[in-house]
Amino acid sequence: MDAGTDTTSTGLQWIMAELVKNPSIQDTLYKEINATTGDDQEEVSEEDVNKMPYLKAVVLEGLRKHPPAHFVLPHTAAEDTEVGGYLIPKGATINFMVAEMSRDEREWEKPTEFLPERFLPGGAGEGIDVTGNRGIKMMPFGVGRRICAGVGIAMLHLEYFVANMVREFEWQEVPGKEVDFAEKPEFTVVMKKPLRPRLVPRRT
């Protein structure tokens, strides 16, 4: 239950914290949502989110910069293997540094900045996704045969919730309760100081 829910709720909080801290990005996302959905709709639907490339870019950038788990399940080398000039002996336990990988300045330009545009056509992250099918530069769900079985539903949930929360409310930073990106390891890596924004209804 934790693996299926805590990871998604943690990822959601990190993404919304970035949108609070970056109001211009939130505005761009809101404009895309408005352009895709009608005023008479009660909510943003699953069909709607599939038509929103900027929304997907926001979620991918959130997972790149703030992967809920900084490690995936460890693996064991089945045989002696050479990787990058290093010998990995048979039986060695291998841990993948998920957060370090997606924040590596050798792979990502300005890795500490929240830049969803990198995942849009023409961006440096174009074609990169969370499955590893088109190059492994981030792996918040793991990759390959042992990728998280819930990757599809997790991405849908993140896109759906982010879209609906931004559609209904403007998320603002509160003086004295500024966004703090310090991390705290629990079951997942959470915000040390939980997000405390001001929500302003967009529709009356």
Side-chain angles (χ1 to χ4, degrees), residues 36-196:
T36 308
T37 61
D39 291 336
D40 57 337
Q41 287 184 227
E42 289 188 11
E43 62 182 32
V44 180
S45 68
E46 179 179 348
E47 291 73 23
D48 292 327
V49 300
N50 290 326
K51 303 171 187 174
M52 299 184 193
Y54 195 73
L55 169 65
K56 186 173 292 293
V58 166
V59 171
L60 285 172
E61 179 69 344
L63 291 172
R64 180 200 67 80
K65 189 177 176 192
H66 306 285
H70 284 200
F71 300 92
V72 293
L73 294 176
H75 293 64
T76 300
E79 57 188 31
D80 288 355
T81 306
E82 186 174 318
V83 178
Y86 294 92
L87 173 65
I88 311 297
K90 178 180 178 179
T93 299
I94 310 299
N95 285 296
F96 293 91
M97 311 294 285
V98 176
E100 296 301 320
M101 180 184 299
S102 60
R103 299 171 184 172
D104 189 343
E105 61 184 12
R106 295 170 297 181
E107 298 293 334
W108 299 94
E109 185 178 352
K110 300 179 181 177
T112 60
E113 295 185 26
F114 189 76
L115 302 171
E117 290 77 11
R118 72 174 88 236
F119 288 101
L120 295 177
E126 181 182 5
I128 302 298
D129 63 10
V130 295
T131 65
N133 290 333
R134 289 172 282 183
I136 302 173
K137 294 178 69 174
M138 56 185 284
M139 49 186 293
F141 298 96
V143 293
R145 292 176 297 171
R146 294 179 180 84
I147 192 171
C148 173
V151 58
I153 194 69
M155 290 298 292
L156 173 60
H157 281 167
L158 288 172
E159 292 169 8
Y160 173 82
F161 286 127
V162 169
N164 278 287
M165 291 193 298
V166 170
R167 183 186 188 223
E168 296 299 326
F169 300 100
E170 179 180 355
W171 292 62
Q172 299 179 351
E173 194 167 39
V174 178
K177 296 181 180 178
E178 288 81 5
V179 175
D180 184 347
F181 290 114
E183 300 174 341
K184 177 182 178 183
E186 293 185 353
F187 178 77
T188 54
V189 178
V190 301
M191 299 182 73
K192 188 174 182 179
K193 294 182 179 178
L195 181 63
R196 294 287 185 267

Side-chain angles (χ1 to χ4, degrees), residues 14-40:
W14 282 114
I15 293 167
M16 297 313 297
E18 288 286 0
L19 292 177
V20 169
K21 200 67 178 175
N22 296 279
S24 64
I25 293 175
Q26 186 179 163
D27 288 344
T28 301
L29 176 57
Y30 179 64
K31 288 175 183 175
E32 180 183 67
I33 295 167
N34 257 2
T36 308
T37 61
D39 291 336
D40 57 337

